[in-house]
Amino acid sequence: MNYSRNKKFFKQNLSVKKILAIVALFLILGLVLFQSGLGAIFGILAGIIIVVLISKKPSPDDIIADCMAQVENARVEALDKLGLDESEVNLIDPIVIYGFDYEHNIGDDELGECYWQYSELKNKEKIWITPIFSINVLYFSETEVHMYSKFISMVSTTSKLNTSTYFYKDIVSISTSSKVTVNKKGGVEENITYDIVQLANTGGEKFAFSTMDSAASVTNKINAFRALLRQKKLEK
């Protein structure tokens, strides 16, 4: 993952107005100093400033590409961290739920200067991109559900990993819903709604996984889990 590049994406950006103001200042100085031959130099500097300020920031799709590379690695890492062999957990395909995280603190000091970015992707979809990405993998053995959850900083090597295992009889439900949080960075508080997959157990615990996957894909995953859960609860 290119951390130094990603930091540029999440840093507070100069607004268009500020960029234009800087460029205008150079152009005015250029006109004032035109007779001394320095005007052309200031004009060139203004052009360089525009190029640097616009081109130095990675695109939202660059960030997404970094995230998806982590998702690809998660299945294998999950097996390793859970101490499982793939042949033990093949009742149904593993469920992988991933998305940007809007709630957790993973102890990364680098995140203090990072701002959430409301960005448009190549497919024209607009999403809030945060500097924490979560990946959750569920594996299914004959008697248990094995859960791997990882929160990854997009701007440093900091990450937080949790693993757990639950008997099918201890799982109450799995569902999808929306959740609202508040973005307090950038000077203006703004409500943000995002999609989650929620798993509840008999101990009262509820695990909410942020998801940026398509609604159809999430539904297919959840329905497969529900069907298996019903089957297991009927077994005595």
Side-chain angles (χ1 to χ4, degrees):
M1 190 178 293
N2 191 333
Y3 299 116
S4 59
R5 181 204 62 182
N6 291 351
K7 286 179 185 178
K8 296 176 183 177
F9 180 84
F10 291 106
K11 295 295 183 181
Q12 182 75 325
N13 302 315
L14 285 175
S15 67
V16 173
K17 289 183 179 179
K18 288 182 179 179
I19 293 174
L20 292 176
I22 293 171
V23 172
L25 176 61
F26 272 83
L27 290 176
I28 292 170
L29 288 173
L31 290 173
V32 171
L33 299 173
F34 179 76
Q35 292 181 342
S36 66
L38 296 176
I41 295 175
F42 275 89
I44 293 171
L45 287 174
I48 292 173
I49 288 173
I50 294 174
V51 172
V52 170
L53 290 177
I54 294 177
S55 66
K56 74 174 185 176
K57 180 181 174 181
S59 73
D61 291 281
D62 290 331
I63 303 299
I64 297 295
D66 266 2
C67 294
M68 297 312 296
Q70 297 296 316
V71 173
E72 289 297 316
N73 295 332
R75 285 193 184 194
V76 175
E77 183 178 78
L79 288 171
D80 179 61
K81 297 298 183 182
L82 290 164
L84 298 170
D85 184 271
E86 195 164 7
S87 62
E88 301 175 277
V89 285
N90 57 4
L91 285 190
I92 61 173
D93 289 339
I95 294 178
V96 183
I97 303 166
Y98 55 87
F100 292 101
D101 184 79
Y102 305 93
E103 300 287 345
H104 293 85
N105 179 358
I106 61 173
D108 183 2
D109 293 337
E110 295 283 354
L111 298 177
E113 298 180 1
C114 293
Y115 291 79
W116 299 1
Q117 304 290 344
Y118 189 57
S119 304
E120 182 175 278
L121 307 181
K122 285 182 179 178
N123 63 5
K124 303 303 181 183
E125 178 188 5
K126 287 189 174 182
I127 63 172
W128 279 98
I129 298 179
T130 76
I132 301 178
F133 191 70
S134 68
I135 307 173
N136 304 276
V137 184
L138 303 178
Y139 275 105
F140 306 91
S141 66
E142 284 292 339
T143 58
E144 297 169 317
V145 178
H146 307 268
M147 187 167 69
Y148 158 103
S149 296
K150 189 173 186 179
F151 299 92
I152 303 167
S153 169
M154 301 298 297
V155 296
S156 79
T157 58
T158 302
S159 64
K160 185 177 181 180
L161 175 66
N162 297 303
T163 59
S164 52
T165 301
Y166 298 95
F167 292 108
Y168 290 105
K169 64 181 180 65
D170 293 327
I171 297 175
V172 175
S173 65
I174 183 166
S175 59
T176 59
S177 63
S178 296
K179 194 172 182 179
V180 178
T181 190
V182 179
N183 177 17
K184 296 182 179 180
K185 289 199 169 186
V188 179
E189 291 192 4
E190 185 170 4
N191 288 338
I192 295 172
T193 302
Y194 62 99
D195 296 327
I196 63 170
V197 174
Q198 186 167 273
L199 181 70
N201 65 21
T202 54
E205 293 177 298
K206 291 184 178 180
F207 304 94
F209 311 132
S210 171
T211 176
M212 57 182 283
D213 212 348
S214 68
S217 177
V218 172
T219 298
N220 289 338
K221 293 174 181 178
I222 298 307
N223 286 344
F225 189 176
R226 285 172 176 162
L228 178 62
L229 193 58
R230 284 194 297 269
Q231 175 189 328
K232 289 298 181 182
K233 286 183 178 293
L234 290 173
E235 294 177 358
K236 301 297 182 180

